[in-house]
């Protein structure tokens, strides 16, 4: 590596927020979830910590006193909160008397949003960072390395280093009528509906009518206009939804307080009200790179009362209407969920990269990924035949 040096630090506080965020801003696919403030809030709030199975490490590449590349890496003792599922791999290791955990994961905890993971000044620095990651995994005697939901440049660097690739499918909405061909956004929500096939348009109108007839209305707040009471109410909804599914919430109330304090511009909150009382909420993240298009990310939701179709209204129709009115280029709906296609969120392939230290298991996983990749390709073809839009 000549005059390049890899350094691994345990705390993000050892790295300059300005320098980290400058590396991120220069990437082709930045997201607010890789900002220094976001990652620091995850750790400082106790949300992603050794106690919860996420031991942070930050792998950095230096040339002299200049930071050339960096990424978050986590020593994981489980596979929860990743959204790229490798439980079968862990079970296979266990059945053969081998330890799969701890493993290394380059990802944003609890956040299945595609984007840049390897922040680097140039392609060479990114390639050296990947080499440094693999060397660090060998040095720490880790079973494996997993880079999740990487950007195109990340995947290219991982491919060059010999990592194996794995595809998953997400569903994203784009603010442009497919038939227009000129990339212009929808004029309004009705214009968006008009681009859909009759049955999909009818279904959306029926679902929205049910919510309105139940006496539910919505208001939204952005950034510092989100009050402390609204943050408190949102967290009640968020935590209740997790507990209803038998799980404690991943994120603490302190995490969201830190977001309100350090990254307010990245958040958009919808609150559903009935008879003057808040009954549900959804929290949307927004891109913060002023030089790029406005992108919205569906993140969290919860409800204190049950209303038919309220989830669809809070998590899709209200955010989509806001995106259209404010010129957002894209709304990413998160991991999984074919039902999102009925709301015009279309399938998008996302990619992760994997390295396994054990040669025989690496060979077996590579064969598995070849078969799985064919299945993903067929699945994407199948989904493509079910477009909700009018036939061209």
């Amino acid at each position: 590596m000549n005059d390049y040096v890899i350094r691994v630090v345990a705390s993000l506080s050892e790295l300059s927020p300005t320098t980290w965020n400058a590396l991120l801003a220069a990437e082709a696919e930045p997201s607010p979830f890789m900002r220094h403030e976001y990652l620091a809030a995850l750790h400082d709030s106790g949300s992603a910590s050794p106690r919860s199975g996420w031991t942070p490490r930050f792998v950095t590449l230096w040339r002299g006193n200049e930071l050339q590349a960096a990424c978050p890496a986590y020593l994981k003792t489980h596979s929860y909160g990743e959204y790229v599922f490798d439980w079968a791999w862990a079970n296979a290791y266990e059945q053969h008397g081998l330890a799969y955990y701890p493993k290394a994961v380059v990802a944003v905890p609890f956040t299945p949003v595609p984007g840049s993971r390897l922040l680097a000044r140039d392609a060479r620095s990114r390639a050296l960072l990947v080499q440094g990651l693999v060397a660090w995994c060998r040095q720490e005697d880790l079973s494996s390395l997993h880079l999740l939901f990487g950007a195109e440049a990340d995947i290219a660097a991982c491919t060059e280093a010999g990592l194996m690739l794995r595809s998953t499918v997400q569903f994203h909405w784009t603010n442009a009528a497919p038939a227009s061909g000129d990339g212009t956004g929808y004029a309004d929500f009705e214009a968006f509906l008009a681009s859909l096939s009759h049955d999909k348009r009818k279904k959306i109108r029926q679902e929205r009518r049910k919510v309105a007839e139940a006496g539910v209305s919505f208001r939204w707040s952005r950034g510092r206009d989100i009050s402390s009471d609204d943050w408190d109410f949102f967290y009640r909804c968020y935590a209740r939804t997790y507990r209803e599914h038998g799980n404690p919430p991943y994120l603490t109330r302190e995490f969201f307080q830190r977001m309100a304090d350090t990254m307010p511009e990245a958040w958009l909150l919808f609150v559903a009200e009935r008879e003057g009382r808040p009954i549900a909420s959804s929290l949307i993240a927004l891109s913060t790179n002023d030089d790029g298009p406005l992108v919205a990310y569906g993140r969290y939701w919860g409800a204190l009362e049950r209303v038919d179709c309220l989830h669809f209204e809070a998590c899709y129709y209200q955010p989509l209407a806001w995106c259209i009115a404010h010129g957002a280029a894209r709304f990413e709906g998160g991991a999984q969920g074919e039902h999102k296609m009925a709301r015009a969120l279309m399938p998008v392939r996302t990619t992760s990269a994997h390295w396994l230290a054990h040669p025989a298991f690496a060979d077996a996983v590579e064969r598995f990924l070849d078969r799985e990749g064919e299945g993903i390709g067929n699945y994407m073809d199948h989904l493509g035949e079910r477009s909700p839009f009018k036939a061209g």
Side-chain angles (χ1 to χ4, degrees), residues 91 236 241 243 355 392:
N91 290 338
R236 283 178 59 200
T241 297
R243 294 189 178 109
W355 170 87

Side-chain angles (χ1 to χ4, degrees), residues 308-326:
D308 194 17
C309 298
L310 181 58
H311 173 262
F312 299 137
E313 183 68 28
C315 296
Y316 302 115
Y317 306 141
Q318 289 290 325
L320 291 184
W322 188 94
C323 285
I324 292 169
H326 292 82

Side-chain angles (χ1 to χ4, degrees), residues 9-322:
V9 299
S11 173
L12 199 57
S13 64
E14 299 182 47
L15 301 172
S16 160
T18 300
T19 304
W20 180 283
N21 288 340
L23 279 178
L24 174 63
E27 294 291 343
E29 300 178 50
S31 82
F33 312 105
M34 279 288 291
R35 280 179 53 174
H36 191 284
E37 297 90 336
Y38 187 91
L39 294 169
L42 286 173
H43 308 139
D44 296 342
S45 69
S47 300
S49 66
R51 183 177 179 181
S52 63
W54 296 80
T55 299
R57 295 290 184 267
F58 298 91
V59 181
T60 63
L61 177 75
W62 297 81
R63 191 177 191 183
N65 294 322
E66 283 198 357
L67 182 64
Q68 300 295 310
C71 69
Y74 295 88
L75 300 172
K76 290 294 304 296
T77 56
H78 55 65
S79 293
Y80 293 105
E82 298 173 15
Y83 302 93
V84 176
F85 304 110
D86 62 350
W87 297 105
W89 304 359
N91 290 338
Y93 268 65
E94 183 178 359
Q95 290 167 8
H96 286 79
L98 300 172
Y100 189 68
Y101 304 108
K103 63 178 183 176
V105 176
V106 176
V108 181
F110 323 120
T111 311
V113 177
S116 299
R117 298 289 178 264
L118 306 174
L119 311 183
R121 292 181 180 271
D122 50 44
R124 173 169 168 75
S125 297
R126 188 173 289 107
L128 290 174
L129 182 62
V130 176
Q131 294 175 26
L133 279 164
V134 173
W136 170 68
C137 288
R138 291 189 186 277
Q139 178 183 321
E140 296 295 318
D141 198 25
L142 303 178
S143 72
S144 51
L145 169 68
H146 310 266
L147 184 145
L148 309 182
F149 303 105
E152 184 176 333
D154 301 335
I155 300 306
C158 289
T159 302
E160 181 183 346
L163 275 67
M164 299 174 288
L165 304 186
R166 188 179 192 185
S167 294
T168 53
V169 178
Q170 292 191 356
F171 296 86
H172 299 174
W173 175 87
T174 301
N175 189 6
S180 70
D182 59 6
T184 56
Y186 297 104
D188 51 33
F189 196 83
E190 279 301 310
F192 160 60
L193 288 182
S195 73
L196 303 178
S197 62
H198 172 74
D199 60 325
K200 296 297 188 293
R201 184 166 62 248
K202 180 179 179 182
K203 180 180 179 66
I204 290 174
R205 285 183 169 144
Q206 288 174 338
E207 290 174 344
R208 302 200 78 186
R209 189 178 305 118
K210 287 179 181 178
V211 176
E213 290 176 349
V216 177
S217 60
F218 278 82
R219 59 179 174 86
W220 62 266
S221 304
R222 181 181 182 182
R224 296 198 182 279
D225 290 336
I226 304 175
S227 70
S228 179
D229 287 346
D230 280 343
W231 279 112
D232 286 339
F233 174 73
F234 156 74
Y235 195 77
R236 283 178 59 200
C237 296
Y238 163 77
R240 176 168 175 166
T241 297
Y242 269 87
R243 294 189 178 109
E244 284 179 347
H245 290 87
N247 300 307
Y250 281 141
L251 302 171
T252 64
R253 176 63 181 89
E254 184 184 347
F255 167 79
F256 290 105
Q257 185 58 53
R258 288 175 180 270
M259 288 294 91
D261 293 341
T262 65
M263 284 178 55
E265 71 281 9
W267 299 103
L268 171 66
L269 181 69
F270 293 92
V271 176
E273 297 178 327
R274 181 160 63 177
E275 297 177 350
R277 294 177 295 105
I279 64 168
S281 63
S282 64
L283 185 65
I284 308 300
L286 301 172
S287 59
T288 57
N289 186 1
D290 294 336
D291 296 331
L294 177 61
V295 180
Y297 308 88
R299 297 309 304 132
Y300 315 105
W301 114 284
L304 305 185
E305 297 181 13
R306 297 190 182 278
V307 175
D308 194 17
C309 298
L310 181 58
H311 173 262
F312 299 137
E313 183 68 28
C315 296
Y316 302 115
Y317 306 141
Q318 289 290 325
L320 291 184
W322 188 94

